Amino acid sequence: MQTLREDPIETIHLYMVREEEQEKIPYVLLPLVFAALCLLSIAGVTVYSGRHPLYEHTTMRAPAIFLPPKHFSLRVPVIPTGVKTYPATFAYGTLTITNGSVVSFHMPEGMIFTASNGSEVITTESVDVPAGNGTSYGVSYVQARSLSAGVNGNISPLAIDDVYGTALYIRNYQSFKGGEESYSKAFIQPQDVNLALSQARAVLIQHTFYGMLYRPCSEKTVGVQTLQVSWTCQFITYAPVQGKVVSTKVQGKFIVLEVEHVARQSKFVIR
């Protein structure tokens, strides 16, 4: 009888691990992250577009609406800067010469006589004085002026009462006049008027800053020492328009407007 030998049996255990699911997890999150970024980008662009809209400019012509004319006036003093100096002047008068002698007398030009106030006068011409005839004196008249210019030469009547020789009497029966001291006087020069006019215009032009002029204001000036400057201004306007007016220009009876407004958003259709 034979005995059969059996080989020992070895048991092997196998464990299955599904690694594919772990590897797929990152690939599932990437689309979600990308979608979230897209949503944030769209939201950011929407917010920025709301705060910073896109503007566009349009040029249009509007009929000018004429307003009632306005009048502005201003008075400004004209300050003179010119100075003219007038020299002192001499006093002039007449001397009466009486001759009580029976002999005529010749008086040359340039004879000097002293008045009671100390002022001196000088004859400006020569004169022949006739002799007396026993019943009346010989009389002549001669022109004279003060020796020095100024008011001291304006002597009163009989300020000169001199005797020349024994029978020749020199007197002034009327006062001497015309003597004046030197003085300066201011006068208006053309540049003084121009300066006053410029000052008035600088004030009047401020009235035009708050409106639109159809044409430059007309100007009228009167006065000498005080200058009155008057302006007549024609203002215009236009009917309201949509948008913001950024510039205007007058062309005839129309106003060219440059208007700024929000640009229209284009619509995109995604299929």
Side-chain angles (χ1 to χ4, degrees):
M1 178 180 210
Q2 293 180 353
T3 303
L4 297 175
R5 185 180 178 180
E6 297 180 357
D7 294 331
I9 298 173
E10 183 179 356
T11 302
I12 298 174
H13 299 276
L14 297 177
Y15 299 93
M16 305 295 294
V17 179
R18 301 181 64 179
E19 296 180 355
E20 295 181 358
E21 293 182 357
Q22 295 179 357
E23 295 178 355
K24 288 182 180 181
I25 291 176
Y27 296 100
V28 174
L29 292 178
L30 284 177
L32 296 177
V33 172
F34 180 75
L37 292 175
C38 290
L39 291 175
L40 290 176
S41 300
I42 294 172
V45 171
T46 302
V47 172
Y48 181 84
S49 300
R51 294 182 178 180
H52 303 83
L54 180 63
Y55 292 97
E56 63 182 12
H57 289 212
T58 304
T59 301
M60 62 179 63
R61 296 179 68 197
I65 301 175
F66 288 80
L67 303 175
K70 290 189 175 182
H71 305 277
F72 309 101
S73 182
L74 184 67
R75 293 170 61 90
V76 291
V78 180
I79 301 176
T81 59
V83 178
K84 184 176 182 180
T85 301
Y86 296 86
T89 58
F90 297 98
Y92 291 86
T94 302
L95 296 177
T96 302
I97 303 173
T98 305
N99 186 5
S101 172
V102 294
V103 180
S104 62
F105 181 80
H106 174 78
M107 181 178 289
E109 177 185 354
M111 295 292 292
I112 297 176
F113 302 97
T114 303
S116 58
N117 65 347
S119 178
E120 295 179 322
V121 300
I122 183 172
T123 58
T124 58
E125 59 187 1
S126 61
V127 62
D128 292 322
V129 184
N133 56 14
T135 59
S136 62
Y137 293 100
V139 179
S140 290
Y141 304 94
V142 64
Q143 298 297 316
R145 67 168 176 83
S146 58
L147 191 60
S148 300
V151 296
N152 287 335
N154 299 325
I155 59 177
S156 59
L158 295 178
I160 296 177
D161 190 1
D162 289 347
V163 179
Y164 188 80
T166 58
L168 205 62
Y169 301 91
I170 300 95
R171 300 182 180 92
N172 68 305
Y173 290 102
Q174 295 181 346
S175 60
F176 276 47
K177 298 179 180 179
E180 293 184 1
E181 301 294 337
S182 63
Y183 64 98
S184 298
K185 185 177 181 181
F187 66 94
I188 296 174
Q189 301 186 96
Q191 56 265 32
D192 302 330
V193 178
N194 293 335
L195 178 59
L197 185 58
S198 299
Q199 293 173 345
R201 287 172 176 171
V203 176
L204 292 175
I205 199 172
Q206 298 180 14
H207 296 289
T208 66
F209 292 161
Y210 306 101
M212 187 185 308
L213 288 173
Y214 177 61
R215 61 170 65 93
C217 301
S218 60
E219 182 180 84
K220 182 179 179 181
T221 59
V222 293
V224 179
Q225 295 182 346
T226 299
L227 196 65
Q228 180 172 341
V229 184
S230 301
W231 279 15
T232 300
C233 304
Q234 177 63 67
F235 290 92
I236 57 176
T237 187
Y238 51 87
V241 296
Q242 292 184 351
K244 178 183 178 181
V245 178
V246 294
S247 68
T248 59
K249 183 179 180 180
V250 179
Q251 287 185 351
K253 295 185 177 181
F254 291 88
I255 304 174
V256 179
L257 308 175
E258 184 179 355
V259 183
E260 180 184 77
H261 54 82
V262 179
R264 295 182 178 179
Q265 300 292 335
S266 301
K267 296 182 179 180
F268 296 94
V269 179
I270 301 177
R271 296 181 179 179

